[in-house]
Amino acid sequence: MTMTQTYQFPEGFLWGTSTSGPQSEGSIEGDGKGMNNWDYWYSIAPEKFHDGIGPSQTSTFYQHYKEDIGLLKETGQTVFRPSIQWARLIPDGTGKVNEKALAFYRDVFKSIKDIGVKPIVNLYHFDLPYALQEKGGWENKETVYAYEAYARRCFELFGDLVDTWITFNEPIVPVECGYMNDLHYPCKVDPKAAVAVAYHTQLASSLAVKACRDVNASHKISIVLNLTPAYPRSESEEDRKAAHIAELFQTKSFLDPSVLGTYPEDLVEIIRKHELMPEVTSEEIDIIRQHTVDFLGVNYYQPMRVKAPEKHIASDEAFSLDLYFEHYDMPGKKINPHRGWEIYEQGIYDIAMTIRDHYGNIDWLVTENGMGVEGEEKFLKDGVIQDDYRIAFIKDHLIELHKAIEQGANCKGYMLWTFIDCWSWLNAYKNRYGLVSLDLETQERRLKKSGYWFKELSQNNGFSQ
Ligand code: BGP
């Protein structure tokens, strides 16, 4: 006999989705949007993008936002995280505001609020105005101050409509993909530049926290981090050390300064040893120390599996991460074959316990979790995509989250990636993540089975199974 179990979430728990400007808005002639790093990269290397679909052809939210916002209600959402595209609002990165963008974002945020959904607005989702990229991008400290001015402008322009903000989404991703692994523009493999980019991004985030408080003292501000736990291959000292160092680089490099106001000493030691230290002033260190976030946004998709490196470090060896840890391909793991990512629900519980025990049990939200699936049209029945796998994926993660909350974790909400199928960087529209499907030909939106189910989940503030 199987027993039904009910997973009831705390009163006021938020249910919603996240998306980003570059992945959902698209651009049209005359909208005044400036070029960003993605637009530029697509203009010189369109072959890098799945099916040759670039960033201007994303899901037409710019034209359809009113209808789309209506779908937030139909899917039961109480919170929604869009992002402002810096290059849409301030086309050159600094200076003049694009009035059309101002009107657009004001109406978007107002429309979200008018239907009783809480907007949490992200200021940066991998998208840098190209005018700044050309001048060295995040390697150049000028970008830090340009970002601070942009953030301050957003708090002034939208502070009457938005009271909860995110400084950056997954800031480690542009560092890894753009400066360590030749995956995203500017496609460099340059550890010294990577460290400078990471440090400058953190400084920019802390300055935005300060600006937020200067402009609207009662507003809340956070950073969204992909807190991927690193699990060692074995309990051997070498494997555990490798996992520890993997976390220093992948998660603690932003988590510690953002929440605790300091960098982990052992991370700084490695950076120093390889002579990768950026230029740091004591004033900057004070800014980071004094302006920690009010809450944390956590994106979780997959764990890291790590083993000790095969190589031994020679004293004059040039830095690379695989001197310290290597990826471990664990046999028998559960996997989402479309994205190639491991599915490990317990990761979300482990993250919750880490935040509870080592980060002052700060309030946090799951700001992304989700499952990208290719070829979803094959699950179409009576006009609705029967995405039972997505419902099961969400439930399995919520069970772990529920357990963590019962054990004292301060998680205040769950946001799925994503609302309407959207454009996914290099993968364009290959894998679909939405509660709502998007027909690329007609741009028609339709709720998937998960969209209807999510409404029930939200209305019941939990589920039984
Ligand atoms: C996160 C990003 C999102 C989104 C998601 C899914 O890391 O914040 O922007 O894209 O991953 O990943 P992908 O689009 O690569 O499948």
Side-chain angles (χ1 to χ4, degrees):
M1 197 176 73
T2 49
M3 295 278 282
T4 307
Q5 177 122 21
T6 301
Y7 300 94
Q8 196 64 40
F9 283 76
E11 215 189 306
F13 196 79
L14 296 166
W15 298 101
T17 59
S18 289
T19 188
S20 79
Q23 291 174 272
S24 65
E25 289 171 10
S27 51
I28 54 165
E29 258 317 280
D31 62 10
K33 178 181 163 296
M35 179 160 70
N36 66 27
N37 48 341
W38 291 93
D39 301 315
Y40 175 74
W41 194 26
Y42 182 68
S43 77
I44 57 165
E47 71 285 354
K48 296 265 186 191
F49 296 75
H50 183 75
D51 280 347
I53 302 180
S56 65
Q57 291 155 277
T58 58
S59 330
T60 59
F61 182 76
Y62 189 74
Q63 292 112 293
H64 292 115
Y65 68 93
K66 283 196 190 289
E67 171 196 340
D68 288 353
I69 289 167
L71 296 174
L72 289 173
K73 264 287 186 242
E74 283 185 44
T75 46
Q77 301 187 47
T78 55
V79 63
F80 180 51
R81 173 172 73 109
S83 80
I84 295 175
Q85 291 202 73
W86 185 353
R88 181 183 292 288
L89 189 68
I90 304 177
D92 295 327
T94 54
K96 219 168 140 1
V97 165
N98 168 13
E99 292 299 323
K100 286 183 185 156
L102 175 59
F104 164 68
Y105 286 121
R106 282 198 62 82
D107 203 36
V108 167
F109 304 148
K110 184 169 179 311
S111 310
I112 295 170
K113 266 187 76 137
D114 283 351
I115 56 165
V117 174
K118 178 182 175 64
I120 296 184
V121 175
N122 174 23
L123 297 173
Y124 192 94
H125 204 119
F126 309 163
D127 54 321
L128 183 67
Y130 186 66
L132 297 174
Q133 183 71 60
E134 251 187 324
K135 291 199 263 169
W138 287 104
E139 285 178 70
N140 182 347
K141 228 176 234 181
E142 271 181 38
T143 300
V144 174
Y145 299 102
Y147 171 88
E148 182 195 17
Y150 154 66
R152 192 174 285 272
R153 205 80 186 93
C154 289
F155 304 141
E156 289 162 355
L157 293 171
F158 308 112
D160 57 329
L161 298 169
V162 177
D163 64 7
T164 308
W165 299 91
I166 304 291
T167 59
F168 287 85
N169 176 77
E170 299 188 355
I172 194 70
V173 168
V175 175
E176 277 188 289
C177 294
Y179 295 87
M180 292 295 287
N181 296 323
D182 182 17
L183 287 172
H184 289 178
Y185 193 77
C187 308
K188 292 191 177 179
V189 180
D190 180 346
K192 194 159 169 73
V195 172
V197 167
Y199 174 66
H200 292 161
T201 310
Q202 178 58 53
L203 178 61
S205 178
S206 305
L207 283 165
V209 171
K210 177 177 184 304
C212 180
R213 294 189 181 135
D214 290 348
V215 178
N216 298 296
S218 64
H219 287 189
K220 298 280 180 240
I221 186 153
S222 172
I223 189 165
V224 164
L225 303 176
N226 44 325
L227 294 186
T228 305
Y231 298 99
R233 167 182 57 182
S234 74
E235 283 307 305
S236 75
E237 199 184 315
E238 293 76 14
D239 284 343
R240 284 195 292 123
K241 185 173 171 208
H244 170 71
I245 296 181
E247 285 193 351
L248 285 179
F249 279 95
Q250 315 295 108
T251 64
K252 294 187 176 166
S253 51
F254 283 97
L255 179 62
D256 283 30
S258 292
V259 177
L260 307 175
T262 51
Y263 279 98
E265 274 172 27
D266 34 5
L267 176 62
V268 176
E269 207 177 290
I270 297 174
I271 300 291
R272 268 194 214 289
K273 181 172 147 198
H274 292 277
E275 297 177 356
L276 300 174
M277 276 297 278
E279 270 178 42
V280 174
T281 69
S282 57
E283 288 78 15
E284 291 165 359
I285 293 299
D286 280 347
I287 286 167
I288 293 173
R289 194 166 37 79
Q290 287 162 9
H291 303 288
T292 55
V293 293
D294 296 310
F295 70 100
L296 197 58
V298 175
N299 292 356
Y300 176 67
Y301 290 91
Q302 56 168 341
M304 279 188 279
R305 303 277 175 193
V306 166
K307 61 182 181 186
E310 305 288 327
K311 291 193 204 170
H312 286 285
I313 310 171
S315 55
D316 57 348
E317 187 107 40
F319 176 83
S320 80
L321 289 175
D322 62 9
L323 293 177
Y324 289 95
F325 63 90
E326 283 180 20
H327 173 70
Y328 169 54
D329 190 6
M330 188 178 78
K333 65 188 173 195
K334 180 158 80 164
I335 197 157
N336 167 5
H338 309 279
R339 189 61 180 83
W341 285 347
E342 181 181 345
I343 299 177
Y344 184 65
E345 301 84 0
Q346 200 196 311
I348 216 160
Y349 171 83
D350 292 340
I351 291 171
M353 294 300 108
T354 300
I355 296 173
R356 187 193 68 179
D357 298 339
H358 302 290
Y359 293 89
N361 207 11
I362 189 171
D363 283 0
W364 61 285
L365 294 157
V366 175
T367 37
E368 285 182 35
N369 174 230
M371 189 180 181
V373 172
E374 190 173 3
E376 279 200 314
E377 54 294 341
K378 65 175 171 286
F379 300 106
L380 195 67
K381 207 175 134 216
D382 305 325
V384 177
I385 288 173
Q386 306 292 315
D387 54 346
D388 295 277
Y389 42 86
R390 180 164 292 110
I391 297 172
F393 178 98
I394 299 171
K395 280 184 179 171
D396 291 347
H397 284 83
L398 286 177
I399 290 170
E400 292 293 326
L401 187 60
H402 187 265
K403 183 168 89 180
I405 293 171
E406 280 191 321
Q407 294 175 19
N410 272 330
C411 180
K412 305 295 182 194
Y414 175 88
M415 300 166 83
L416 184 78
W417 184 268
T418 188
F419 173 28
I420 300 174
D421 288 341
C422 70
W423 182 83
S424 255
W425 318 111
L426 301 185
N427 280 330
Y429 284 100
K430 177 177 169 286
N431 302 314
R432 305 303 184 94
Y433 284 87
L435 291 176
V436 177
S437 69
L438 175 76
D439 183 321
L440 284 190
E441 297 284 307
T442 61
Q443 292 293 313
E444 190 194 351
R445 283 88 158 126
R446 266 176 189 235
L447 265 64
K448 299 181 193 174
K449 185 173 176 183
S450 59
Y452 294 102
W453 174 81
F454 202 82
K455 185 172 189 180
E456 277 173 41
L457 170 73
S458 164
Q459 283 175 340
N460 298 330
N461 202 27
F463 66 97
S464 300
Q465 75 164 14

Coordinates of all heavy atoms in Angstrom, one line a residue, residues 325-391:
F325 N 41.5 20.4 -9.5 CA 40.4 19.5 -9.5 C 40.0 19.1 -10.9 O 40.2 19.9 -11.8 CB 39.2 20.0 -8.7 CG 38.5 21.2 -9.3 CD1 37.5 21.1 -10.3 CD2 39.0 22.5 -9.0 CE1 36.9 22.2 -10.8 CE2 38.4 23.6 -9.5 CZ 37.4 23.5 -10.4
E326 N 39.4 17.9 -11.1 CA 39.0 17.5 -12.4 C 37.5 17.0 -12.2 O 37.1 16.6 -11.2 CB 39.8 16.3 -12.9 CG 41.1 16.8 -13.4 CD 42.0 15.7 -14.0 OE1 41.5 14.6 -14.3 OE2 43.2 15.9 -14.0
H327 N 36.8 17.2 -13.3 CA 35.5 16.7 -13.4 C 35.4 15.2 -13.3 O 36.2 14.5 -13.9 CB 34.9 17.2 -14.7 CG 33.5 16.6 -15.0 ND1 32.4 17.0 -14.3 CD2 33.1 15.7 -15.9 CE1 31.4 16.3 -14.7 NE2 31.7 15.5 -15.7
Y328 N 34.5 14.7 -12.5 CA 34.4 13.2 -12.4 C 33.1 12.7 -13.0 O 32.0 13.2 -12.6 CB 34.5 12.9 -10.9 CG 34.1 11.4 -10.5 CD1 34.7 10.4 -11.2 CD2 33.1 11.2 -9.6 CE1 34.4 9.1 -10.9 CE2 32.7 9.9 -9.3 CZ 33.4 8.8 -9.9 OH 33.0 7.5 -9.6
D329 N 33.2 11.9 -13.9 CA 32.0 11.3 -14.6 C 31.5 10.1 -13.8 O 31.9 9.0 -14.1 CB 32.4 11.0 -16.1 CG 31.2 10.6 -16.9 OD1 30.1 10.8 -16.4 OD2 31.4 10.2 -18.1
M330 N 30.6 10.4 -12.9 CA 30.1 9.3 -12.0 C 29.3 8.3 -12.7 O 28.2 8.6 -13.3 CB 29.3 10.0 -10.8 CG 29.0 9.0 -9.7 SD 28.1 9.8 -8.4 CE 26.5 9.9 -9.1
P331 N 29.6 7.0 -12.6 CA 28.8 6.0 -13.2 C 27.4 5.9 -12.6 O 27.3 6.1 -11.4 CB 29.6 4.7 -13.0 CG 30.9 5.1 -12.4 CD 30.8 6.5 -11.9
G332 N 26.4 5.7 -13.4 CA 25.1 5.4 -12.9 C 24.3 6.6 -12.5 O 23.2 6.5 -11.9
K333 N 24.8 7.8 -12.8 CA 24.1 9.0 -12.4 C 22.8 9.2 -13.2 O 22.8 8.8 -14.4 CB 25.0 10.3 -12.5 CG 25.4 10.6 -13.9 CD 26.4 11.7 -13.9 CE 26.9 11.9 -15.3 NZ 28.2 12.6 -15.4
K334 N 21.8 9.9 -12.6 CA 20.6 10.2 -13.3 C 20.9 11.4 -14.2 O 21.5 12.4 -13.7 CB 19.5 10.4 -12.3 CG 18.1 10.8 -12.9 CD 17.0 10.5 -12.0 CE 16.8 11.6 -10.9 NZ 15.5 11.6 -10.2
I335 N 20.4 11.4 -15.4 CA 20.8 12.5 -16.3 C 19.6 13.0 -17.1 O 18.7 12.2 -17.4 CB 22.0 12.1 -17.1 CG1 22.7 13.2 -17.8 CG2 21.6 11.0 -18.2 CD1 24.1 13.0 -18.1
N336 N 19.6 14.3 -17.4 CA 18.7 14.8 -18.4 C 19.4 14.7 -19.7 O 20.3 15.5 -20.0 CB 18.3 16.3 -18.0 CG 17.6 17.0 -19.2 OD1 17.3 16.4 -20.2 ND2 17.4 18.3 -19.1
P337 N 19.1 13.8 -20.6 CA 19.9 13.5 -21.8 C 19.9 14.7 -22.7 O 20.8 14.8 -23.5 CB 19.2 12.3 -22.4 CG 17.8 12.3 -21.9 CD 17.9 13.0 -20.5
H338 N 18.9 15.5 -22.7 CA 18.8 16.7 -23.7 C 19.9 17.7 -23.4 O 20.5 18.2 -24.3 CB 17.4 17.3 -23.6 CG 16.3 16.3 -23.7 ND1 15.9 15.8 -25.0 CD2 15.6 15.6 -22.8 CE1 15.0 14.9 -24.7 NE2 14.8 14.8 -23.5
R339 N 20.0 18.0 -22.1 CA 21.0 19.1 -21.7 C 22.3 18.4 -21.3 O 23.3 19.1 -21.2 CB 20.4 19.9 -20.6 CG 21.2 21.2 -20.2 CD 21.2 22.1 -21.4 NE 22.0 23.3 -21.2 CZ 23.3 23.4 -21.2 NH1 24.1 22.4 -21.5 NH2 23.9 24.6 -21.1
G340 N 22.3 17.1 -21.0 CA 23.5 16.4 -20.5 C 23.8 16.8 -19.1 O 24.9 16.5 -18.7
W341 N 22.9 17.3 -18.4 CA 23.1 17.6 -17.0 C 22.6 16.6 -16.0 O 21.5 16.0 -16.3 CB 22.5 19.0 -16.6 CG 23.1 20.2 -17.2 CD1 24.4 20.2 -17.7 CD2 22.6 21.5 -17.2 NE1 24.7 21.5 -18.1 CE2 23.6 22.3 -17.8 CE3 21.4 22.1 -16.8 CZ2 23.5 23.7 -18.0 CZ3 21.3 23.5 -17.0 CH2 22.3 24.3 -17.6
E342 N 23.4 16.3 -15.0 CA 22.9 15.3 -14.0 C 21.7 15.9 -13.2 O 21.7 17.1 -13.0 CB 24.1 15.0 -13.0 CG 23.7 14.0 -11.9 CD 24.8 13.7 -10.9 OE1 25.9 14.1 -11.1 OE2 24.4 13.1 -9.9
I343 N 20.8 15.0 -12.9 CA 19.7 15.4 -12.0 C 20.0 14.8 -10.6 O 20.1 13.6 -10.5 CB 18.4 14.9 -12.6 CG1 18.1 15.5 -14.0 CG2 17.2 15.2 -11.6 CD1 16.8 15.0 -14.6
Y344 N 20.1 15.7 -9.7 CA 20.4 15.2 -8.3 C 19.7 16.1 -7.3 O 20.1 17.2 -6.9 CB 21.9 15.3 -8.0 CG 22.3 14.7 -6.7 CD1 22.2 13.4 -6.4 CD2 22.9 15.6 -5.7 CE1 22.6 12.9 -5.1 CE2 23.3 15.1 -4.5 CZ 23.1 13.8 -4.2 OH 23.5 13.3 -3.0
E345 N 18.4 15.7 -7.0 CA 17.5 16.5 -6.2 C 18.1 16.9 -4.9 O 17.9 18.0 -4.3 CB 16.2 15.8 -6.0 CG 15.5 15.4 -7.3 CD 15.9 14.1 -7.8 OE1 16.8 13.4 -7.3 OE2 15.4 13.7 -8.9
Q346 N 18.9 16.0 -4.3 CA 19.4 16.2 -2.9 C 20.3 17.4 -2.8 O 20.5 18.0 -1.8 CB 20.1 15.0 -2.4 CG 20.2 15.0 -0.9 CD 21.2 14.0 -0.4 OE1 21.2 12.8 -0.9 NE2 22.2 14.4 0.4
G347 N 20.8 17.8 -4.0 CA 21.7 19.0 -4.1 C 21.0 20.2 -3.5 O 21.6 21.0 -2.8
I348 N 19.7 20.3 -3.7 CA 19.0 21.5 -3.2 C 18.9 21.5 -1.7 O 19.0 22.6 -1.0 CB 17.6 21.6 -3.9 CG1 17.2 23.0 -4.2 CG2 16.5 20.9 -3.1 CD1 16.2 23.2 -5.2
Y349 N 18.8 20.3 -1.1 CA 18.8 20.2 0.4 C 20.2 20.5 0.9 O 20.3 21.3 1.9 CB 18.4 18.7 0.7 CG 18.6 18.4 2.2 CD1 17.6 18.8 3.1 CD2 19.7 17.8 2.7 CE1 17.7 18.5 4.5 CE2 19.9 17.5 4.0 CZ 18.9 17.9 4.9 OH 19.0 17.6 6.2
D350 N 21.2 20.0 0.3 CA 22.6 20.3 0.7 C 22.9 21.8 0.7 O 23.5 22.3 1.6 CB 23.6 19.5 -0.1 CG 23.4 18.0 0.2 OD1 22.8 17.6 1.2 OD2 23.9 17.2 -0.7
I351 N 22.4 22.4 -0.4 CA 22.7 23.9 -0.5 C 22.0 24.6 0.7 O 22.5 25.5 1.4 CB 22.1 24.5 -1.8 CG1 22.9 23.9 -3.0 CG2 22.1 26.0 -1.8 CD1 22.4 24.3 -4.4
A352 N 20.7 24.2 1.0 CA 20.0 24.8 2.0 C 20.7 24.6 3.4 O 20.7 25.6 4.2 CB 18.6 24.2 2.1
M353 N 21.2 23.5 3.6 CA 21.9 23.2 4.9 C 23.2 24.1 5.0 O 23.6 24.6 6.0 CB 22.2 21.7 5.0 CG 21.0 20.9 5.2 SD 20.0 21.3 6.6 CE 18.6 22.1 5.8
T354 N 23.9 24.2 3.8 CA 25.1 25.0 3.8 C 24.7 26.5 4.2 O 25.4 27.1 5.0 CB 25.8 25.0 2.4 OG1 26.1 23.6 2.2 CG2 27.1 25.8 2.4
I355 N 23.7 27.0 3.6 CA 23.3 28.4 3.8 C 22.9 28.5 5.3 O 23.2 29.5 6.0 CB 22.1 28.8 2.9 CG1 22.6 28.8 1.4 CG2 21.6 30.2 3.3 CD1 21.5 29.1 0.4
R356 N 22.1 27.5 5.8 CA 21.7 27.6 7.2 C 22.9 27.6 8.2 O 22.9 28.4 9.1 CB 20.8 26.3 7.5 CG 20.1 26.4 8.8 CD 19.5 25.0 9.2 NE 20.5 24.0 9.4 CZ 20.3 22.8 9.8 NH1 19.1 22.3 9.9 NH2 21.3 21.9 10.0
D357 N 23.8 26.7 7.9 CA 24.9 26.5 8.9 C 26.1 27.4 8.7 O 26.8 27.6 9.7 CB 25.3 25.0 8.8 CG 24.2 24.1 9.2 OD1 23.2 24.5 9.8 OD2 24.2 22.9 8.8
H358 N 26.3 27.9 7.5 CA 27.6 28.6 7.3 C 27.4 30.0 6.8 O 28.3 30.8 6.6 CB 28.5 27.9 6.3 CG 28.8 26.5 6.8 ND1 29.7 26.3 7.9 CD2 28.4 25.3 6.4 CE1 29.7 25.0 8.1 NE2 29.0 24.3 7.2
Y359 N 26.1 30.4 6.4 CA 25.9 31.7 5.9 C 24.8 32.4 6.7 O 23.9 33.1 6.1 CB 25.6 31.7 4.4 CG 26.9 31.2 3.6 CD1 27.2 29.9 3.4 CD2 27.9 32.2 3.3 CE1 28.4 29.5 2.9 CE2 29.1 31.7 2.7 CZ 29.3 30.4 2.5 OH 30.5 30.0 1.9
G360 N 24.8 32.2 8.0 CA 23.9 33.0 8.9 C 22.4 32.7 8.6 O 21.6 33.5 9.0
N361 N 22.1 31.6 8.0 CA 20.7 31.2 7.7 C 20.0 32.4 7.0 O 18.8 32.7 7.3 CB 20.0 30.7 8.9 CG 18.9 29.8 8.6 OD1 18.7 29.3 7.4 ND2 18.0 29.5 9.5
I362 N 20.7 33.1 6.1 CA 20.1 34.2 5.4 C 18.9 33.8 4.6 O 18.8 32.6 4.2 CB 21.2 34.8 4.5 CG1 20.7 36.1 3.9 CG2 21.6 33.8 3.4 CD1 21.8 36.9 3.1
D363 N 17.9 34.7 4.5 CA 16.7 34.4 3.6 C 17.2 34.1 2.2 O 18.1 34.8 1.7 CB 15.8 35.6 3.6 CG 15.0 35.7 4.8 OD1 15.1 34.9 5.8 OD2 14.2 36.7 4.9
W364 N 16.5 33.2 1.6 CA 16.9 32.9 0.1 C 15.7 32.4 -0.6 O 14.7 32.0 0.0 CB 18.1 32.0 0.0 CG 17.9 30.6 0.6 CD1 17.9 30.3 2.0 CD2 17.7 29.4 -0.1 NE1 17.7 28.9 2.1 CE2 17.5 28.3 0.9 CE3 17.6 29.0 -1.4 CZ2 17.3 27.0 0.5 CZ3 17.3 27.7 -1.8 CH2 17.2 26.7 -0.8
L365 N 15.8 32.5 -1.9 CA 14.8 31.9 -2.8 C 15.5 31.0 -3.8 O 16.6 31.3 -4.2 CB 14.2 33.1 -3.7 CG 13.4 34.2 -3.0 CD1 13.4 35.4 -3.9 CD2 12.0 33.7 -2.8
V366 N 14.8 30.0 -4.2 CA 15.3 29.3 -5.4 C 14.9 30.2 -6.6 O 13.7 30.4 -6.8 CB 14.6 27.9 -5.6 CG1 15.1 27.2 -6.9 CG2 14.9 27.0 -4.4
T367 N 15.9 30.7 -7.3 CA 15.6 31.6 -8.4 C 15.7 31.0 -9.8 O 15.2 31.6 -10.7 CB 16.6 32.9 -8.3 OG1 17.9 32.4 -7.9 CG2 16.1 33.9 -7.4
E368 N 16.2 29.8 -9.8 CA 16.1 29.0 -11.1 C 16.3 27.5 -10.7 O 17.2 27.1 -9.9 CB 17.2 29.3 -12.1 CG 17.0 30.6 -12.8 CD 18.1 30.9 -13.9 OE1 18.6 29.9 -14.5 OE2 18.4 32.1 -14.1
N369 N 15.6 26.7 -11.4 CA 15.7 25.2 -11.3 C 14.8 24.8 -12.5 O 13.8 25.5 -12.8 CB 15.1 24.7 -10.0 CG 15.0 23.2 -9.8 OD1 14.0 22.6 -9.5 ND2 16.1 22.5 -10.0
G370 N 15.2 23.8 -13.2 CA 14.3 23.5 -14.3 C 14.9 22.4 -15.2 O 16.1 22.0 -15.0
M371 N 14.1 22.0 -16.2 CA 14.5 20.9 -17.1 C 14.3 21.3 -18.5 O 13.2 21.5 -19.0 CB 13.7 19.7 -16.7 CG 14.1 18.5 -17.3 SD 13.0 17.1 -16.8 CE 13.8 15.8 -17.7
G372 N 15.4 21.4 -19.3 CA 15.3 21.7 -20.7 C 15.2 20.4 -21.5 O 16.0 19.5 -21.4
V373 N 14.2 20.3 -22.4 CA 13.9 19.1 -23.1 C 13.8 19.5 -24.6 O 13.1 20.4 -25.0 CB 12.6 18.4 -22.6 CG1 12.2 17.3 -23.5 CG2 12.8 18.0 -21.2
E374 N 14.4 18.6 -25.4 CA 14.4 18.8 -26.9 C 13.2 18.1 -27.5 O 12.9 17.0 -27.0 CB 15.7 18.3 -27.5 CG 15.9 18.7 -28.9 CD 17.3 18.2 -29.4 OE1 18.1 17.6 -28.7 OE2 17.6 18.5 -30.6
G375 N 12.7 18.7 -28.5 CA 11.6 18.0 -29.3 C 10.3 17.8 -28.5 O 9.7 16.7 -28.6
E376 N 9.9 18.8 -27.7 CA 8.8 18.6 -26.8 C 7.5 18.4 -27.6 O 6.5 17.9 -27.1 CB 8.6 19.7 -25.9 CG 9.5 19.7 -24.6 CD 9.0 20.5 -23.5 OE1 8.7 21.7 -23.7 OE2 9.0 20.0 -22.3
E377 N 7.5 18.8 -28.9 CA 6.2 18.7 -29.7 C 5.8 17.2 -29.8 O 4.6 16.9 -30.0 CB 6.3 19.4 -31.0 CG 7.4 19.1 -32.0 CD 8.8 19.4 -31.6 OE1 9.0 20.3 -30.7 OE2 9.8 18.9 -32.1
K378 N 6.7 16.3 -29.6 CA 6.3 14.9 -29.6 C 5.4 14.5 -28.4 O 4.8 13.4 -28.4 CB 7.4 13.9 -29.8 CG 8.4 13.9 -28.7 CD 9.5 12.8 -29.0 CE 10.6 12.8 -28.0 NZ 11.6 13.9 -28.2
F379 N 5.3 15.3 -27.4 CA 4.5 15.1 -26.3 C 3.1 15.8 -26.4 O 2.4 15.9 -25.4 CB 5.2 15.4 -25.0 CG 6.5 14.7 -24.8 CD1 7.7 15.3 -24.9 CD2 6.4 13.4 -24.4 CE1 8.9 14.7 -24.8 CE2 7.6 12.7 -24.2 CZ 8.9 13.3 -24.4
L380 N 2.9 16.4 -27.6 CA 1.6 17.1 -27.7 C 0.4 16.2 -27.9 O 0.4 15.3 -28.7 CB 1.8 17.9 -29.0 CG 0.8 19.1 -29.3 CD1 1.0 20.2 -28.3 CD2 1.0 19.6 -30.7
K381 N -0.6 16.4 -27.0 CA -1.8 15.7 -27.1 C -3.0 16.6 -26.8 O -2.9 17.4 -25.8 CB -1.8 14.6 -26.0 CG -2.6 13.4 -26.4 CD -2.5 12.3 -25.3 CE -3.8 11.7 -25.0 NZ -4.0 11.3 -23.7
D382 N -4.0 16.6 -27.7 CA -5.1 17.5 -27.6 C -4.6 19.0 -27.4 O -5.2 19.7 -26.6 CB -6.0 17.1 -26.4 CG -6.5 15.7 -26.6 OD1 -6.7 15.3 -27.7 OD2 -6.6 15.0 -25.5
G383 N -3.6 19.4 -28.1 CA -3.2 20.8 -28.1 C -2.3 21.1 -26.9 O -1.9 22.3 -26.7
V384 N -2.1 20.2 -26.0 CA -1.3 20.5 -24.8 C -0.1 19.6 -24.7 O -0.2 18.4 -24.8 CB -2.2 20.4 -23.5 CG1 -1.3 20.7 -22.2 CG2 -3.4 21.3 -23.5
I385 N 1.1 20.2 -24.4 CA 2.3 19.4 -24.3 C 2.2 18.7 -22.9 O 2.1 19.4 -21.9 CB 3.6 20.2 -24.4 CG1 3.8 20.6 -25.9 CG2 4.8 19.5 -23.9 CD1 4.9 21.5 -26.2
Q386 N 2.3 17.4 -22.9 CA 2.1 16.6 -21.7 C 3.5 16.4 -21.1 O 4.1 15.3 -21.2 CB 1.5 15.2 -22.0 CG 0.2 15.3 -22.8 CD -1.0 15.9 -22.0 OE1 -1.2 15.5 -20.8 NE2 -1.7 16.8 -22.6
D387 N 4.0 17.4 -20.4 CA 5.3 17.4 -19.8 C 5.3 16.8 -18.4 O 5.8 17.5 -17.5 CB 6.0 18.7 -19.9 CG 5.2 19.9 -19.3 OD1 4.0 19.6 -19.0 OD2 5.7 20.9 -19.1
D388 N 4.9 15.6 -18.3 CA 4.9 15.0 -16.9 C 6.3 14.9 -16.3 O 6.4 15.0 -15.1 CB 4.2 13.6 -17.0 CG 2.8 13.6 -17.4 OD1 2.0 13.9 -16.5 OD2 2.5 13.5 -18.6
Y389 N 7.3 14.7 -17.2 CA 8.7 14.7 -16.7 C 9.0 15.9 -16.0 O 9.8 15.9 -15.0 CB 9.6 14.4 -17.9 CG 9.3 15.2 -19.1 CD1 9.8 16.5 -19.3 CD2 8.4 14.7 -20.1 CE1 9.4 17.3 -20.4 CE2 8.1 15.5 -21.2 CZ 8.6 16.8 -21.3 OH 8.2 17.5 -22.4
R390 N 8.5 17.1 -16.5 CA 8.8 18.4 -15.8 C 8.1 18.5 -14.5 O 8.7 18.9 -13.5 CB 8.4 19.5 -16.7 CG 8.7 20.9 -16.2 CD 8.7 22.0 -17.2 NE 9.8 21.9 -18.2 CZ 9.6 21.6 -19.5 NH1 8.4 21.3 -19.9 NH2 10.7 21.5 -20.2
I391 N 6.9 18.0 -14.4 CA 6.2 18.0 -13.2 C 6.9 17.1 -12.1 O 7.1 17.5 -11.0 CB 4.7 17.6 -13.4 CG1 4.0 18.6 -14.3 CG2 4.0 17.4 -12.0 CD1 2.6 18.1 -14.8

